[in-house]
Amino acid sequence: AVATPAFGAEEAAVTAGAAAVAKEAEPRIPLGGGFAINLDIPETGLVNIVVLIAGLLYLLAPLLSESMSTREKEIQTDIDDAIAKYNEATARLAEAQKAKAQADEVIAEIEASIEKDQKEFKATIETQTEATLEKQAAAAQQALKDLQAGADLKVESYIQEQAIKRGVKELQQLDGDQKAKFMDAAINSL
């Protein structure tokens, strides 16, 4: 038996380790920086991963379930509030449309009343104006007749006055024979 030098055992260990590394390196996909994906299922501990996922689901399921149910309730409350607001807005819109329709009817009635009042007022004004004009025309005719009658009286009075003055003047200018003739004619006419 030959004794191997002390560093010979180390060399054998390094060689065995290199073979193991070469064996391990075959199913791995290097990612760089010393990391790699190991595709050897028995070596990766698939059972460990499944147990970890199951444990996380078991431990986090109540928390996630409670969180989801709380969020579901909040969402449902928001939906119910939105529906209630929509229904309220729809009701208000219907009321506003009804109020607008009533206001339109009132406006139409007021406009019709105004138009009717304007026509009646116009007719009344025209009737009163016509009556006033007729009264004024009648008063003017009467005043004109009165003025004409007064003027006729004045003219007749003036004519008589002038006739008397002329007659007196002519009588005063008559000589004795003419005076006697005139007196006889005046006595005969009576």
Side-chain angles (χ1 to χ4, degrees):
V2 176
T4 57
F7 62 87
E10 287 178 19
E11 194 176 300
V14 171
T15 307
V21 169
K23 184 180 181 183
E24 286 181 17
E26 290 176 9
R28 290 185 182 183
I29 300 173
L31 295 176
F35 293 100
I37 296 176
N38 189 356
L39 299 177
D40 189 7
I41 292 175
E43 193 176 306
T44 57
L46 185 60
V47 175
N48 290 339
I49 294 174
V50 170
V51 168
L52 177 65
I53 292 174
L56 287 175
L57 287 176
Y58 177 75
L59 293 175
L60 295 178
L63 181 62
L64 289 174
S65 175
E66 183 180 327
S67 174
M68 293 302 257
S69 69
T70 303
R71 183 65 184 140
E72 181 182 356
K73 287 177 184 176
E74 289 175 1
I75 291 172
Q76 188 61 43
T77 303
D78 290 345
I79 290 172
D80 293 342
D81 289 347
I83 290 171
K85 287 179 182 178
Y86 172 77
N87 290 338
E88 181 181 347
T90 304
R92 285 185 180 181
L93 176 63
E95 289 175 11
Q97 288 174 338
K98 182 179 176 184
K100 183 185 179 294
Q102 289 174 347
D104 289 342
E105 288 177 10
V106 169
I107 289 171
E109 289 175 7
I110 290 171
E111 287 176 349
S113 174
I114 289 172
E115 188 175 335
K116 178 184 171 192
D117 290 347
Q118 285 176 337
K119 287 179 181 177
E120 288 176 358
F121 183 72
K122 183 179 178 183
T124 302
I125 292 295
E126 287 175 351
T127 303
Q128 289 176 349
T129 303
E130 189 175 324
T132 302
L133 289 175
E134 287 176 2
K135 286 179 184 177
Q136 288 177 349
Q141 284 286 32
Q142 187 61 38
L144 186 61
K145 285 180 183 178
D146 290 346
L147 286 175
Q148 189 164 358
D152 287 346
L153 282 175
K154 283 183 181 179
V155 168
E156 190 176 321
S157 165
Y158 178 76
I159 290 173
Q160 286 179 1
E161 183 181 324
Q162 290 301 320
I164 291 173
K165 281 183 184 178
R166 281 185 190 174
V168 169
K169 192 177 185 183
E170 283 181 14
L171 285 176
Q172 286 175 351
Q173 290 178 356
L174 289 177
D175 58 10
D177 275 341
Q178 287 177 339
K179 282 185 186 179
K181 247 186 186 181
F182 178 71
M183 288 300 272
D184 286 338
I187 291 176
N188 286 336
S189 66
L190 289 178

